[in-house]
Amino acid sequence: MLKITLVQFTPEFGNPAHNLQQIAGLLHGVETDIILLPELCTTGYSFLTKEEAFDAAEGPDGQSTNFFKQLASGHNAMVIAGFAEKNGDKVYNSALIALPTGEVKVYRKTHLFFREKQCFNEGDSGFFVVEHPLKDCKVGVMICNDWRYPEAARSLALLGADVIACPSNLVSDVWRIGMPARALENKVYVAVANRCGTETRQLDDGSLQTLTFTGGSVFYNYTGEPIEQAGKSGQHIITLEIDPLLTRDKHFNVFNNLLEDRRPGFYVG
Ligand code: ACM
């Protein structure tokens, strides 16, 4: 058995010190094995240019990486957190996966959404799974809009993920139709840590862009059913206990197996 914790809160745009402090406060005293935080949870979301994102982004030794490494060792947990990552002259919408052993891995968002295309480079990490060093559990990460591309979750399932962790900054509710399908069609748990609140920025033409993030962070069973869901606004911490081993037999009846029955020779693209 393994405990997983989803954190929903409202990061303040351009104020990483404040956001890290909020995260530390929310998780104080929480005992768990995996901590999942939203997309871009250290900086906020609404960048408008690559220069702006680059200036806010951090390299491998940045304050956020160091903070999440300490959080992982302090809680003896795997921490998955969205952050703006700088590497050379590139800037990525990334998720840090910090292990309690001190090791870190980085997933770079594959399918950029809306203005992210003007602000970030396309992710080049590809999909991979990370074994929890203290529990029998394999975790794959996809970020927010990656949910719309079933190939992302399927790749993680083929790599052996038991849990797909999805740091998110979702601005509509259509994902509530698609995300549970990713769980059902792959027989994996899907955890969505979404942020809440709004961000308003002024665009070049003087108009205002206001984004409202839809909260409702949720943990889906491998059957696609929501096990627990947060409210649409406000801070919420959800901790629940799961058995990762239950995802490993991909049969859904004695004849059918979700992965073995695939017919890749007939698929296009
Ligand atoms: C999104 O990918 N942040 C919707």
Side-chain angles (χ1 to χ4, degrees), residues 39 45 93 109 111-114 116 143-147 167-172 213:
E39 178 181 12
Y45 181 76
N93 180 342
K109 186 173 184 177
H111 304 99
L112 297 175
F113 175 75
F114 194 52
E116 289 169 37
I143 300 179
C144 205
N145 187 52
D146 281 334
W147 75 264
S168 296
N169 277 190
L170 290 145
V171 290
S172 76
F213 302 93

Tab-separated table of all heavy atoms in Angstrom, residues 39 45 93 109 111-114 116 143-147 167-172 213, ligand 1:
chain	number	residue	atom	x	y	z
A	39	GLU	N	1.044	22.204	-12.000
A	39	GLU	CA	1.933	22.709	-13.050
A	39	GLU	C	2.423	24.125	-12.667
A	39	GLU	O	1.654	24.903	-12.082
A	39	GLU	CB	1.102	22.768	-14.347
A	39	GLU	CG	1.797	23.302	-15.566
A	39	GLU	CD	0.847	23.330	-16.787
A	39	GLU	OE1	-0.390	23.149	-16.619
A	39	GLU	OE2	1.349	23.514	-17.904
A	45	TYR	N	1.396	30.909	-13.839
A	45	TYR	CA	1.226	30.352	-15.188
A	45	TYR	C	1.376	31.324	-16.353
A	45	TYR	O	1.960	30.996	-17.374
A	45	TYR	CB	-0.176	29.722	-15.269
A	45	TYR	CG	-0.465	29.082	-16.594
A	45	TYR	CD1	0.095	27.841	-16.925
A	45	TYR	CD2	-1.273	29.710	-17.535
A	45	TYR	CE1	-0.158	27.256	-18.150
A	45	TYR	CE2	-1.536	29.119	-18.763
A	45	TYR	CZ	-0.976	27.887	-19.060
A	45	TYR	OH	-1.218	27.299	-20.275
A	93	ASN	N	8.414	23.980	-19.786
A	93	ASN	CA	7.366	23.809	-18.789
A	93	ASN	C	7.545	22.376	-18.267
A	93	ASN	O	7.167	21.413	-18.924
A	93	ASN	CB	6.001	24.005	-19.465
A	93	ASN	CG	4.843	23.843	-18.510
A	93	ASN	OD1	4.991	23.280	-17.433
A	93	ASN	ND2	3.674	24.313	-18.924
A	109	LYS	N	7.180	19.085	-20.563
A	109	LYS	CA	5.844	18.963	-21.164
A	109	LYS	C	5.931	18.786	-22.680
A	109	LYS	O	6.520	19.607	-23.383
A	109	LYS	CB	5.016	20.205	-20.811
A	109	LYS	CG	3.558	20.140	-21.245
A	109	LYS	CD	2.808	21.358	-20.691
A	109	LYS	CE	1.330	21.331	-20.993
A	109	LYS	NZ	0.625	22.480	-20.386
A	111	HIS	N	3.169	18.376	-24.926
A	111	HIS	CA	2.133	19.028	-25.729
A	111	HIS	C	1.782	20.383	-25.110
A	111	HIS	O	0.962	20.453	-24.185
A	111	HIS	CB	0.886	18.139	-25.802
A	111	HIS	CG	1.161	16.755	-26.322
A	111	HIS	ND1	1.322	15.663	-25.503
A	111	HIS	CD2	1.318	16.303	-27.592
A	111	HIS	CE1	1.547	14.586	-26.244
A	111	HIS	NE2	1.559	14.940	-27.511
A	112	LEU	N	2.413	21.425	-25.629
A	112	LEU	CA	2.198	22.767	-25.070
A	112	LEU	C	0.806	23.280	-25.425
A	112	LEU	O	0.266	22.971	-26.486
A	112	LEU	CB	3.271	23.728	-25.594
A	112	LEU	CG	4.708	23.379	-25.196
A	112	LEU	CD1	5.692	24.325	-25.868
A	112	LEU	CD2	4.892	23.391	-23.677
A	113	PHE	N	0.252	24.109	-24.531
A	113	PHE	CA	-1.127	24.599	-24.651
A	113	PHE	C	-1.134	26.111	-24.895
A	113	PHE	O	-0.447	26.863	-24.205
A	113	PHE	CB	-1.867	24.260	-23.349
A	113	PHE	CG	-3.262	24.796	-23.254
A	113	PHE	CD1	-4.296	24.215	-23.973
A	113	PHE	CD2	-3.555	25.895	-22.433
A	113	PHE	CE1	-5.590	24.707	-23.881
A	113	PHE	CE2	-4.846	26.386	-22.331
A	113	PHE	CZ	-5.867	25.789	-23.064
A	114	PHE	N	-1.900	26.565	-25.867
A	114	PHE	CA	-2.237	27.991	-26.041
A	114	PHE	C	-0.964	28.844	-26.053
A	114	PHE	O	-0.017	28.522	-26.765
A	114	PHE	CB	-3.221	28.381	-24.917
A	114	PHE	CG	-3.945	29.679	-25.095
A	114	PHE	CD1	-4.637	29.963	-26.257
A	114	PHE	CD2	-3.943	30.624	-24.074
A	114	PHE	CE1	-5.306	31.175	-26.400
A	114	PHE	CE2	-4.621	31.827	-24.199
A	114	PHE	CZ	-5.297	32.101	-25.372
A	116	GLU	N	1.481	29.000	-24.182
A	116	GLU	CA	2.732	28.304	-23.818
A	116	GLU	C	3.606	28.131	-25.052
A	116	GLU	O	4.826	28.085	-24.953
A	116	GLU	CB	2.421	26.910	-23.245
A	116	GLU	CG	1.792	26.928	-21.884
A	116	GLU	CD	1.284	25.550	-21.498
A	116	GLU	OE1	1.938	24.544	-21.827
A	116	GLU	OE2	0.213	25.474	-20.869
A	143	ILE	N	1.972	16.327	-18.143
A	143	ILE	CA	1.578	17.633	-17.616
A	143	ILE	C	0.341	18.132	-18.357
A	143	ILE	O	0.353	18.262	-19.587
A	143	ILE	CB	2.721	18.664	-17.734
A	143	ILE	CG1	3.954	18.192	-16.945
A	143	ILE	CG2	2.259	20.034	-17.229
A	143	ILE	CD1	5.152	19.138	-17.022
A	144	CYS	N	-0.710	18.376	-17.600
A	144	CYS	CA	-1.919	19.081	-18.043
A	144	CYS	C	-2.355	18.681	-19.451
A	144	CYS	O	-2.807	17.566	-19.663
A	144	CYS	CB	-1.685	20.582	-17.894
A	144	CYS	SG	-3.228	21.505	-17.713
A	145	ASN	N	-2.199	19.564	-20.435
A	145	ASN	CA	-2.698	19.354	-21.804
A	145	ASN	C	-2.227	18.044	-22.434
A	145	ASN	O	-2.822	17.588	-23.429
A	145	ASN	CB	-2.249	20.551	-22.663
A	145	ASN	CG	-2.830	20.549	-24.052
A	145	ASN	OD1	-4.036	20.429	-24.221
A	145	ASN	ND2	-1.973	20.682	-25.064
A	146	ASP	N	-1.217	17.397	-21.882
A	146	ASP	CA	-0.795	16.065	-22.370
A	146	ASP	C	-1.965	15.079	-22.312
A	146	ASP	O	-1.959	14.085	-23.035
A	146	ASP	CB	0.360	15.506	-21.515
A	146	ASP	CG	1.734	16.099	-21.850
A	146	ASP	OD1	1.946	16.547	-22.992
A	146	ASP	OD2	2.591	16.084	-20.946
A	147	TRP	N	-2.967	15.365	-21.448
A	147	TRP	CA	-4.089	14.409	-21.307
A	147	TRP	C	-4.850	14.238	-22.611
A	147	TRP	O	-5.465	13.200	-22.850
A	147	TRP	CB	-5.052	14.855	-20.192
A	147	TRP	CG	-5.953	16.007	-20.555
A	147	TRP	CD1	-5.742	17.321	-20.281
A	147	TRP	CD2	-7.207	15.961	-21.256
A	147	TRP	NE1	-6.774	18.089	-20.770
A	147	TRP	CE2	-7.683	17.280	-21.382
A	147	TRP	CE3	-7.972	14.925	-21.791
A	147	TRP	CZ2	-8.886	17.600	-22.020
A	147	TRP	CZ3	-9.170	15.246	-22.433
A	147	TRP	CH2	-9.614	16.565	-22.544
A	167	PRO	N	0.542	17.026	-12.976
A	167	PRO	CA	0.511	18.414	-12.485
A	167	PRO	C	-0.209	19.277	-13.510
A	167	PRO	O	0.097	19.196	-14.703
A	167	PRO	CB	1.998	18.808	-12.417
A	167	PRO	CG	2.778	17.540	-12.550
A	167	PRO	CD	1.901	16.586	-13.314
A	168	SER	N	-1.156	20.098	-13.072
A	168	SER	CA	-2.032	20.776	-14.028
A	168	SER	C	-2.330	22.220	-13.658
A	168	SER	O	-2.309	22.596	-12.481
A	168	SER	CB	-3.363	20.022	-14.128
A	168	SER	OG	-3.146	18.722	-14.643
A	169	ASN	N	-2.622	23.001	-14.701
A	169	ASN	CA	-3.193	24.357	-14.580
A	169	ASN	C	-4.333	24.398	-15.585
A	169	ASN	O	-4.267	25.063	-16.611
A	169	ASN	CB	-2.157	25.437	-14.941
A	169	ASN	CG	-1.209	25.803	-13.805
A	169	ASN	OD1	-0.468	26.769	-13.923
A	169	ASN	ND2	-1.210	25.060	-12.717
A	170	LEU	N	-5.397	23.672	-15.308
A	170	LEU	CA	-6.478	23.494	-16.281
A	170	LEU	C	-7.439	24.673	-16.245
A	170	LEU	O	-7.818	25.138	-15.170
A	170	LEU	CB	-7.205	22.186	-15.992
A	170	LEU	CG	-6.351	20.950	-16.317
A	170	LEU	CD1	-6.606	19.824	-15.349
A	170	LEU	CD2	-6.595	20.501	-17.751
A	171	VAL	N	-7.827	25.138	-17.436
A	171	VAL	CA	-8.655	26.342	-17.525
A	171	VAL	C	-10.047	26.065	-18.103
A	171	VAL	O	-10.782	26.993	-18.419
A	171	VAL	CB	-7.951	27.444	-18.357
A	171	VAL	CG1	-6.750	28.002	-17.613
A	171	VAL	CG2	-7.546	26.918	-19.723
A	172	SER	N	-10.373	24.782	-18.287
A	172	SER	CA	-11.742	24.443	-18.695
A	172	SER	C	-12.120	23.185	-17.898
A	172	SER	O	-11.362	22.744	-17.036
A	172	SER	CB	-11.820	24.157	-20.194
A	172	SER	OG	-11.285	22.874	-20.456
A	213	PHE	N	-8.520	29.198	-13.225
A	213	PHE	CA	-8.114	27.788	-13.118
A	213	PHE	C	-9.185	27.023	-12.346
A	213	PHE	O	-9.722	27.535	-11.352
A	213	PHE	CB	-6.737	27.701	-12.453
A	213	PHE	CG	-5.704	28.491	-13.219
A	213	PHE	CD1	-5.421	29.803	-12.884
A	213	PHE	CD2	-5.066	27.931	-14.314
A	213	PHE	CE1	-4.502	30.557	-13.606
A	213	PHE	CE2	-4.146	28.672	-15.053
A	213	PHE	CZ	-3.867	29.980	-14.700
B	1	ACM	C1	-2.716	23.453	-19.782
B	1	ACM	O1	-2.048	22.631	-20.410
B	1	ACM	N1	-2.168	24.205	-18.837
B	1	ACM	C2	-4.166	23.579	-20.032
